[in-house]
Amino acid sequence: MEQQERSRAPHDSRHLHSRADPAKHSATMQCLVQSGSLLACNVDLLAITVLQRKENGVSRAQLQRGDGGVELDRALGGKLSEVITREELTGELGTARLVETNGQCKARHVVLLGGGTVQSCTTNTWRRLGVTLARVAEQVKARSAAGLMQTESVQRLKPAVRAQALIEGLMLGQYRFDTFKPEDERKPLRFTSFIAVSKGNRNALEAAFTRGALVAGAICQARDWINLPSNVCTPQYLAEQAQLVAKRGHLKCQILDSDQITAERMHLLKAVNQGSARPPIFIHVSYTPKGKAKRRVALVGKGVTFDTGGYDLKTSKHMGDMKNDMGGAAVVLATMQVMAALQPAIAIDAYIPSTENMVDALGYKSSDILTARSGKTIEIVNTDAEGRLVLADAIDYAVEREPELLIDLATLTGGVQYALGEIYTAVLGTAQSMINKLLAASTVAGEAMWQLPLEEEYLAGFKGGPAQLRNCGKSGASTITGALFLGQFVREVPWIHLDIAESAWSDEDRPLTSRGGTGAPLRTLCEFLLSL
Ligand code: BES
Ligand code: MN
Ligand code: ZN
């Protein structure tokens, strides 16, 4: 059997991917905190924000005293205010106007970044300022930029919170997936240094920069994993990446191969894998704090490297981007990378069931009846509802290790689009106080999340067949029924389910994410775990 599996195994194109280094992105932005004046900074570009002020219904950009704009304008002989007036700049968020300094200070350019109105400031305002600054820096081929960080809170946002968001934006704004382009078509990363001029607490700012760079680096890593095609990012590849993350972060990593998965009775994972020439893999990475762990959290990430739907085949429109069906796995693994670096006082176990969902003579079929690891019998009514199957076995395995909280992340149901649209992560689960904490974290992290009800009445739709459960319910609310199915395997463990079917991937360029893998909701998850 093993022999047969190997002879059917395709030649995986790993050589196509030269960027196998998970730490690659974290080293791209150097941030320094300096005191003194912005004018004296030895950088290529000075960043100034202009806020949007509405007077009689007309928007006008206004230079700020707090970030050195007024002072800089004076030093440049009123040039900045002249541009603002002449061009009727509005200060709208996302806008940028370059002004040349003509040797009046060390920097070649000043950029006026529109910051929007004060009232509308959120952490995402600073992420967007970072993204815009990074784009402008690229445009003028600047290697370095500087900005002044005001010491007061802005709309209740402390300087450190703003600093973290800014660096995240600076790095996310430079993300691109160009691994497969020839060298001369790849844009070099030139803009690698940012200086924050501040009179405030230097340590707090530096810590915020470090954290922001780590988080953004992990997001870029998760995006890379998601964007890699499934002939490169196979279950085996994910396992190797997990081992690399573990090695660098001094984490424990256990990889179960196909035989060990059988020995662990993960029959649902095996069934989904039946149609694939690539064997399944189960990944378990764990982080243990130095002292006594305050809590034990389990993270479970769906790692379906490609979802054709199986015999309930998807149409080409729906299949096209299904390499992103391992988005949960990518975010969970990248989160472990951040946790390994920041060393919180909680123990975290990450579990990733990984396989493809393919069509093959051996593939599983509708009406097949399988026994889950938990012992429950499941009748397959749709081979495209494979995520819940692989997760059910992974959750059962995780639950056996008695975590105090279990969070699963999965591109589980296309229905999220109808419930919440393109950018939201749907939140469901039983651990309501933890869900509240997570939603609070999502506000700081600037990632859209909304809770849906775990309506038990819809459970009836799973029953009535020849087995204990069908793999699909009857309600039209597929995001809710998908969660309900998973809920059958969590036993008494407090549980949060994040359906990232929409948020993990973006069909178009958005302010903070380019088309492709988004890395959501990594920022929220890190913010949440660090707050425990
Ligand atoms: N991976 C898909 C869900 C998905 C859809 C993710 C669109 C990202 C974008 C999942 O395995 C799936 O096929 N779900 C089915 C479940 C249904 C058969 C009950 C769905 O949502 O249509
Ligand atoms: Mn599917
Ligand atoms: Zn799927």
Side-chain angles (χ1 to χ4, degrees):
M1 181 62 204
E2 188 55 27
Q3 198 53 42
Q4 194 186 341
E5 235 168 38
R6 207 162 291 148
S7 66
R8 289 202 304 136
H11 174 72
D12 285 326
S13 310
R14 239 171 315 156
H15 62 279
L16 277 175
H17 183 55
S18 52
R19 211 150 76 180
D21 182 354
K24 185 191 169 282
H25 285 287
S26 23
T28 50
M29 204 79 207
Q30 287 289 331
C31 291
L32 293 173
V33 184
Q34 278 183 10
S35 54
S37 100
L38 191 57
L39 266 167
C41 279
N42 192 6
V43 292
D44 297 331
L45 181 61
L46 296 179
I48 295 295
T49 54
V50 283
L51 290 182
Q52 186 176 7
R53 279 270 303 257
K54 286 195 181 133
E55 263 167 38
N56 309 325
V58 184
S59 289
R60 267 301 131 76
Q62 194 173 49
L63 287 164
Q64 300 304 112
R65 204 165 285 284
D67 75 348
V70 172
E71 197 190 1
L72 189 62
D73 186 38
R74 207 176 299 131
L76 297 176
K79 197 170 182 177
L80 302 180
S81 44
E82 193 256 332
V83 168
I84 290 171
T85 314
R86 177 161 45 84
E87 297 186 7
E88 301 177 0
L89 298 188
T90 61
E92 208 180 307
L93 186 60
T95 58
R97 171 64 162 90
L98 268 166
V99 180
E100 304 218 356
T101 57
N102 300 322
Q104 283 171 287
C105 64
K106 282 185 183 160
R108 282 181 282 130
H109 296 95
V110 173
V111 59
L112 300 173
L113 298 170
T117 62
V118 180
Q119 296 78 18
S120 65
C121 277
T122 63
T123 57
N124 272 357
T125 304
W126 271 270
R127 289 188 188 91
R128 285 194 64 178
L129 286 171
V131 167
T132 311
L133 176 55
R135 303 244 160 97
V136 169
E138 190 181 317
Q139 196 186 319
V140 298
K141 300 194 165 39
R143 291 173 189 282
S144 53
L148 201 145
M149 294 292 300
Q150 185 177 324
T151 51
E152 296 86 58
S153 290
V154 178
Q155 295 293 102
R156 300 228 183 96
L157 301 174
K158 293 205 179 89
V161 172
R162 290 175 350 240
Q164 183 180 337
L166 181 74
I167 169 85
E168 288 172 4
L170 288 174
M171 286 177 64
L172 296 177
Q174 296 188 81
Y175 176 77
R176 47 198 162 230
F177 182 64
D178 56 8
T179 321
F180 299 106
K181 292 274 168 66
E183 193 72 53
D184 60 343
E185 280 179 43
R186 277 190 239 172
K187 289 193 206 141
L189 285 178
R190 239 189 237 101
F191 176 45
T192 52
S193 140
F194 181 76
I195 295 177
V197 175
S198 173
K199 292 192 188 70
N201 184 341
R202 194 179 162 144
N203 291 343
L205 279 189
E206 274 171 357
F209 280 139
T210 304
R211 197 197 262 207
L214 271 167
V215 167
I219 292 174
C220 293
Q221 179 59 79
R223 288 180 181 181
D224 265 2
W225 285 329
I226 297 170
N227 290 335
L228 280 174
S230 65
N231 63 324
V232 177
C233 184
T234 59
Q236 178 63 33
Y237 176 86
L238 278 183
E240 284 162 17
Q241 291 293 296
Q243 278 165 328
L244 226 63
V245 169
K247 191 166 163 236
R248 287 175 189 284
H250 307 287
L251 306 173
K252 224 180 110 199
C253 180
Q254 196 185 359
I255 306 289
L256 305 188
D257 65 16
S258 190
D259 289 340
Q260 290 165 307
I261 288 168
T262 308
E264 276 294 337
R265 313 179 319 280
M266 296 188 189
H267 305 305
L268 301 184
L269 174 57
K270 289 289 283 193
V272 172
N273 180 257
Q274 263 170 228
S276 172
R278 297 179 172 93
I281 286 232
F282 188 85
I283 303 167
H284 178 188
V285 178
S286 32
Y287 161 75
T288 320
K290 297 244 161 58
K292 194 175 146 36
K294 284 201 189 131
R295 252 182 228 281
R296 278 163 40 87
V297 179
L299 305 176
V300 181
K302 174 176 172 183
V304 173
T305 55
F306 197 83
D307 182 11
T308 66
Y311 274 102
D312 289 289
L313 197 62
K314 288 184 186 292
T315 57
S316 67
K317 176 171 164 264
H318 289 110
M319 202 190 299
D321 292 328
M322 275 303 138
K323 65 175 181 183
N324 76 35
D325 217 11
M326 36 59 74
V331 170
V332 164
L333 205 52
T335 297
M336 293 306 277
Q337 186 176 307
V338 177
M339 293 304 128
L342 294 179
Q343 304 266 313
I346 55 171
I348 310 168
D349 284 277
Y351 304 93
I352 295 168
S354 185
T355 176
E356 296 175 318
N357 185 22
M358 303 294 283
V359 182
D360 180 88
L362 290 173
Y364 79 136
K365 305 172 294 295
S366 274
S367 81
D368 284 1
I369 295 178
L370 308 161
T371 306
R373 185 178 191 277
S374 75
K376 283 198 162 71
T377 54
I378 315 289
E379 181 199 6
I380 303 305
V381 297
N382 192 325
T383 60
D384 199 10
E386 87 297 341
R388 60 196 71 185
L389 300 175
V390 304
L391 286 168
D393 280 349
I395 288 172
D396 187 67
Y397 185 91
V399 160
E400 210 168 76
R401 282 147 186 85
E402 299 179 339
E404 286 151 89
L405 174 66
L406 185 149
I407 307 177
D408 78 81
L409 286 83
T411 45
L412 203 68
T413 60
V416 178
Q417 187 187 348
Y418 304 104
L420 300 168
E422 289 71 25
I423 64 168
Y424 275 80
T425 295
V427 185
L428 299 100
T430 55
Q432 193 56 50
S433 63
M434 286 292 152
I435 288 175
N436 295 345
K437 241 174 141 49
L438 186 87
L439 292 171
S442 82
T443 308
V444 180
E447 293 174 316
M449 285 197 176
W450 201 260
Q451 187 174 5
L452 297 180
L454 197 61
E455 179 51 63
E456 302 255 339
E457 197 169 318
Y458 302 155
L459 257 180
F462 286 97
K463 310 218 166 118
Q468 240 169 321
L469 286 174
R470 295 188 174 104
N471 77 327
C472 293
K474 294 228 163 78
S475 164
S478 65
T479 304
I480 297 177
T481 54
L484 282 170
F485 183 87
L486 298 181
Q488 299 303 296
F489 300 87
V490 296
R491 290 182 237 175
E492 303 303 310
V493 175
W495 161 63
I496 304 177
H497 164 60
L498 303 176
D499 194 328
I500 60 171
E502 285 299 320
S503 59
W505 180 265
S506 182
D507 287 328
E508 50 197 276
D509 289 339
R510 294 181 195 284
L512 298 176
T513 50
S514 42
R515 192 195 124 75
T518 64
L522 182 141
R523 290 200 299 272
T524 302
L525 196 55
C526 288
E527 182 71 32
F528 171 77
L529 290 171
L530 294 171
S531 77
L532 290 180

